[in-house]
Each structure stands twice: as C-alpha cells, then as structure tokens.
Amino acid sequence: MPTLNADTRVVVLGASGYIGQHLVSHLNQQGYKVTAASRRRDVLVAQKWTGVRCCFADVYHNASLRDAFADADVLVYLVHAMSDAEDLFEKERQAAQNTLLALKDSSIRQIIYLGSMQPEHDSSLQLQASKLTGDLFRMGSIPVTELRAGIVIGPGSAAFELMRDMIYNLPVLTPPSWVRKHSAPIALNDLMHYLGGLIGIAPSAQHQIFDAAGPEYLSYRQLMERFMALSNKRRWLVPVPLPTQLLTVAFLGLLTSVPSTLVKSLIQGVKQDLPPDSDTLRELVPLELTTIDDAITQTLAQEEDAVLNTPEWANDADAHRRWRPGYAFYPKEVNFRLETSASIKALWHVIQQLGGEEGFFYSQGLWRLRARIDRMLGNKTPSGRPATDRFAVGDNIDGWKVISLVPDKSLTLLFGMRAPGLGRLTFTLKDHGERRSLEIASWWHPAGARGLCYWYAMMPAHLFVFRGMAKRIASLARQKDRRGH
C-alpha cells in the first residue's frame, strides 16, 4: 500500500455520526489535514480534536457544502437519510445531487463513499437507497470509490449494541427470523484502516466498488451465540417470527437503549444474506483482519471509555467508578423543552440556585421522598449545596454532582442516588433571538432488565416534574428581569 500522504486535505461529511467521529480521530492521528463537517457542528467542536477544522454543512444547503469543500482534496461521504419509505429515496437523491453540484469547480479529486453491502437478489429499501447514492455519485466527473460494509463490531455500533442489550436484558431470547441471515461482520478498527488506506492511494481514473468484510461469513444468530460464549451469558435462543416489522421495532425499542431510528435501519439492512467479495480490497489495502472473537472482546473492553470519555460525561472519575460492564451503551432519554421571554442571564442565575431556598423548583415532596428512599437503601449521599451562588465542577447538590458546566449554556449533574444504572441530569439554554429555550433532560444507562424497569417506572414522574421545573425556572427568571438585577 502506498505511503499515506499527510498533506492530503480530507473532508469527512457526516462527521458527527458513529463512523464519522471515529474516522476523524483516525485520520487526525495519521496526520491528515481534516475538515469535520456536519449539521451538528456543536457535537464536532465538543470532541476537541487538535488541528481539525469543524464546520457546519448540510447536504440540503449548497452554500454550506461549498464552504466545507474549500481547498480539500478528498471527500469522504458518510451521510445517510433516516426516513420513512415514502421519502427515503427522494432525500437520498437530493443529498447526492446537492453534493455533486457543490463539488463543481471544487479542488476535490476523489470521493470515497461508505455504502452498504448489497445482496445478490432482492434488496431492502434501506439498501436500495444506499446503492442509489453510489449510482448518482458515479454519474459525476470525479472518480468515486465506494466501500460497502455490513455489520460493524465496535463500541456504539447499532448492530452490536442491539445484540448486547438483547442478551443482557432477557433470560430467554425470541429473536425474529432475520437473525438467520448471513453477513461478514467487520471490526471497527479494520473498517477505519480500509477507509484511511483508500485515502492514501492515488485516485483511480475509474469508479471502483469494494466490499469491506470481516474474516467470517455467519448469521446474526451465530454472532449472538459467540457473544454469549465470550460474555459468559447463558441464554435460550428460540426464534419466533413477529407478525410485522413495526412490532419488531416497537418491541426492540422497549428492550434496548439503541435509538429506534437505528434499530429500524439495522433491521432493514440485515433482512437479506449479504455475501461479500473482499479479495480485491485486501490485495489493494493489505490487512490482517481482526477475528470475530477478538472484535467482540475488544469492544466489551472499550465500551466504558467510549461512553464516559465524551463531552457529555466529561470523563468524570465518579462516573468511571460507578460504571459496570452490564450498563447499556446508549442512554434512555426523557426531556421537556420550554420557550420563554426571560433572558439567558436570568435563566442561568436561577438554575444556579438549584438546591437552595427553591430546592429543585417543583414538587419538593417527590424529591424528598426519593432522597428518603435512598437513605433507607443505605446510600449516604451528601445533602445541601455550595454556599456560593455560582456552581463549579465537582460541587455536590443534594446527592447530585456537577460534572460539566458551560456558563449561560449548560449544566450537567451526575445522578448520585442508588439505582440500577448510571444517569445524569442536564439543563440546556439556547438563545433564539426574541425567545430563549430551556431544556431539562434526564439520561439513563440502564443496568439490564432491572435498569429498564426502573427507567420506565420513573419516566412519568420525570415528565411531570421537568415540566413544572422548567415553568418555575422561567417564572423566576422573568421576575429577575423585571427587577432589573
């Protein structure tokens, strides 16, 4: 394989996604000049990559794409529409055509598109839409290298985390018929190696399509059996076809913490056998592939760091201390968002009075009851709050700990009470010109079935309390604005 050219300027479009964040880190470590582009620029900035340019880019907004592509040599396209069947193809078509339009007169001389492995016969809508994007790119004048992948094994991979949650949360598994379909799962690090290797090769004058496959061709059921053996989880596997895809998605949505949009996309992608043809790619980019067993073992070992070494958790030491291997990778979430005329300054001041005279601003009886239950369970969480009217990272507020704080923007608290899982509470402020928004959200990584039951039991109370909290905070902030101090 040719030596990587560190002077190559690479744009990763869709950099805020699962593959995108890992690829930006990988290319940055290789010394490339990387532009990370996404609609969620705040997510990119929060990664604090050294030397990476982070910019807003929307595939439905040409001007933003042209700015992202400026002075770049290679475009890595990782964007896929998450939509219902009726407009999935239209969104994929618009995204690809807008990208091609923005590429005109740009300096980009190579497109690398991460698509989906294709079956030999009938294909799902999700896979057809992925193929459509590649076909549209090949209608342009810039050489396209399409890398087609199936299941990825790595911390945060939807396919892996869904399998993990099913096995951790149920003593008897009744997965639907699609678990019998075959593919060639690939380790996340191997996929990064292939993507980076293709960037380091001088672009071909011809369009190319490669399959990125792992070392074994096996069914999702066989993958689950390997996981159970390596994680020492004994489960009965009794495949029972559920009547509709909707029911499958709804059931898995309750069972797992993987977002429903990813679950639906995953099911669409694994409903057919996906036989790979990866010999050509392995000749072009040599690699000793990670075995399935090693990929699973490495992923389980990396999950804690992948979750907690993030801006959301601020790599908090107490969170690391409390994390357990059985906790779900993706958190469950419930939130309430309120718009108000109160100023950001006043809202932020009120939020920092949390735990003072106003307590938690609403339904004090429920907060006191929860604290009393916690003490009965033997958890000696500290009570009270700092004497100052400004919080700092590390402050304790009635059993909660400040783990992240951005003045006038966000406050994140670590849940300190005893419960089956790990959680945080966030207050987020945004200025929208004439109006401001306040969002209160709870995030919960459940510990198996007990953690899920706890979450669903508490969710109605969260919705009720958060609504009251947000309204009281906004009211106090408006009063402060009227007083003028």
Side-chain angles (χ1 to χ4, degrees), residues 243-431:
T244 66
Q245 177 188 314
L246 179 62
L247 181 57
T248 303
V249 173
F251 172 71
L252 292 176
L254 293 173
L255 177 67
T256 180
S257 294
V258 178
S260 296
T261 53
L262 294 182
V263 171
K264 186 174 182 179
S265 176
L266 169 65
I267 292 174
Q268 286 283 338
V270 298
K271 289 173 68 176
Q272 297 90 15
D273 289 323
L274 300 174
D277 181 8
S278 58
D279 291 344
T280 305
L281 177 63
R282 294 186 66 179
E283 290 178 5
L284 187 64
V285 186
L287 171 65
E288 183 177 347
L289 290 167
T290 306
T291 66
I292 296 294
D293 287 1
D294 284 347
I296 292 173
T297 302
Q298 291 169 13
T299 298
L300 290 173
Q302 294 166 356
E303 281 189 321
E304 177 182 341
D305 284 341
V307 170
L308 299 180
N309 291 349
T310 58
E312 293 83 5
W313 283 103
N315 197 18
D316 182 73
D318 285 334
H320 276 282
R321 177 178 55 80
R322 294 175 51 193
W323 180 268
R324 298 291 180 271
Y327 290 1
F329 183 93
Y330 286 101
K332 289 288 190 181
E333 177 197 0
V334 64
N335 64 76
F336 179 78
R337 182 178 178 275
L338 175 74
E339 287 198 356
T340 176
S341 59
S343 68
I344 289 288
K345 182 179 179 181
L347 288 166
W348 183 246
H349 174 82
V350 173
I351 288 171
Q352 291 189 99
Q353 309 315 305
L354 192 70
E357 292 181 4
E358 287 280 341
F360 279 73
F361 301 112
Y362 188 73
S363 194
Q364 303 301 335
L366 287 178
W367 291 101
R368 286 193 293 267
L369 175 61
R370 182 63 183 90
R372 189 174 298 116
I373 293 173
D374 194 52
R375 288 193 294 270
M376 291 172 61
L377 294 173
N379 194 24
K380 299 179 180 179
T381 53
S383 59
R385 57 153 289 145
T388 64
D389 62 355
R390 293 185 181 181
F391 290 144
V393 171
D395 283 346
N396 288 293
I397 308 161
D398 288 336
W400 299 80
K401 176 189 173 185
V402 177
I403 61 173
S404 176
L405 181 151
V406 181
D408 298 330
K409 291 185 178 180
S410 65
L411 173 69
T412 303
L413 307 175
L414 171 68
F415 178 73
M417 297 180 184
R418 182 166 294 182
L422 186 70
R424 67 181 190 271
L425 179 68
T426 64
F427 298 80
T428 305
L429 300 176
K430 291 184 179 179
D431 195 333

Side-chain angles (χ1 to χ4, degrees), residues 30-64:
Q30 296 292 328
Y32 283 109
K33 298 175 181 177
V34 183
T35 293
S38 168
R39 287 187 299 178
R40 300 186 296 165
R41 183 178 180 275
D42 56 329
V43 174
L44 304 177
V45 172
Q47 305 305 313
K48 297 182 179 178
W49 291 306
T50 302
V52 173
R53 175 190 173 218
C54 299
C55 67
F56 171 83
D58 185 344
V59 290
Y60 305 109
H61 187 262
N62 284 77
S64 68

